């Protein structure tokens, strides 16, 4: 299952990297090319940390999960605030997400045996993976819509600066 998730993740990375120039062109903002590329390149590390988090959850080690989540969010928010203070602008959000991913991976990985998996398990395992994970994927998208849908709605009402201020304020409070 981990190998299939990583393979699909890498496919998503390649698709998003290919789409980055179109995204930047659509919004007439060349910064989006680099923002998309940096955020996408952190995705494999995010997926790679999930088996370690799952081991902790299976072992009922919610104290460590809570510590990892708290420390990674704290590191992310501190890096975002520091970069914003020195004038990094929108890139402070990008780097903060990468910091969150790296810190979470390192802390989840710390003290655990390595998870062995092959990168590409073969096309034969894909139907089983899709069948076993379809509701997880749907619930993940619905959860993201529920927790981030306000940005979508507000993007139709507010200008870029106001929406950025809303996002930044929420990130500091969350």
């Amino acid at each position: 299952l981990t190998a299939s998730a990583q393979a699909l993740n890498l496919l998503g990375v390649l698709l998003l990297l290919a789409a980055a120039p179109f995204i930047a062109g659509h919004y007439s903002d060349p910064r989006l090319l680099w923002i998309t590329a940096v955020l996408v390149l952190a995705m494999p590390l995010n997926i790679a940390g999930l088996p370690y988090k799952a081991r902790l959850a299976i072992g009922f080690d919610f104290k460590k999960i809570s510590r990892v989540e708290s420390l990674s969010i704290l590191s992310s928010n501190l890096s975002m605030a520091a970069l914003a203070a020195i004038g990094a602008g929108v890139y402070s959000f990008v780097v903060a997400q990468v910091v969150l991913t790296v810190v979470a991976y390192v802390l989840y990985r710390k003290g655990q045996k390595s998870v062995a998996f092959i990168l590409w398990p073969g096309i034969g395992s894909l139907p089983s993976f899709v069948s076993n994970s379809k509701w997880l994927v749907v619930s993940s998208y619905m959860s993201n819509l529920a927790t981030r849908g306000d940005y979508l709605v507000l993007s139709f009402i507010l200008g870029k600066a106001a929406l950025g201020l809303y996002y930044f304020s929420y990130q500091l409070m969350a």
Side-chain angles (χ1 to χ4, degrees):
L1 192 62
T2 300
S4 296
Q6 196 66 285
L8 286 177
N9 189 6
L10 290 175
L11 177 64
V13 165
L14 294 175
L15 289 173
L16 285 170
L17 283 175
F22 299 107
I23 294 169
H26 175 74
Y27 289 103
S28 302
D29 192 343
R31 297 176 300 176
L32 287 174
L33 177 70
W34 297 109
I35 290 169
T36 304
V38 171
L39 288 174
V40 163
L41 292 175
M43 286 172 55
L45 196 58
N46 189 20
I47 293 293
L50 290 179
Y52 300 102
K53 181 179 180 179
R55 277 186 183 165
L56 294 173
I58 290 168
F60 297 105
D61 195 351
F62 298 110
K63 182 177 180 181
K64 183 168 183 177
I65 291 172
S66 177
R67 278 192 304 234
V68 169
E69 296 293 322
S70 297
L71 287 173
S72 59
I73 290 170
L74 178 64
S75 300
S76 173
N77 286 342
L78 287 175
S79 68
M80 183 182 354
L83 287 168
I86 62 170
V90 70
Y91 298 108
S92 61
F93 299 119
V94 177
V95 172
Q97 291 301 313
V98 174
V99 167
L100 177 78
T101 301
V102 170
V103 170
Y105 174 77
V106 168
L107 293 176
Y108 278 129
R109 176 76 175 85
K110 185 178 177 183
Q112 293 196 51
K113 290 188 287 183
S114 183
V115 173
F117 61 90
I118 55 172
L119 186 58
W120 179 247
I123 197 74
S125 64
L126 193 57
S128 172
F129 174 75
V130 170
S131 174
N132 290 327
S133 63
K134 64 185 168 202
W135 294 114
L136 181 62
V137 171
V138 169
S139 69
S140 176
Y141 282 117
M142 296 307 287
S143 174
N144 275 321
L145 183 61
T147 59
R148 296 189 179 117
D150 54 336
Y151 300 122
L152 176 64
V153 172
L154 289 174
S155 71
F156 295 115
I157 301 168
L158 301 176
K160 290 180 185 178
L163 186 59
L165 183 60
Y166 174 81
Y167 175 81
F168 186 68
S169 300
Y170 180 79
Q171 291 300 311
L172 288 176
M173 298 304 292

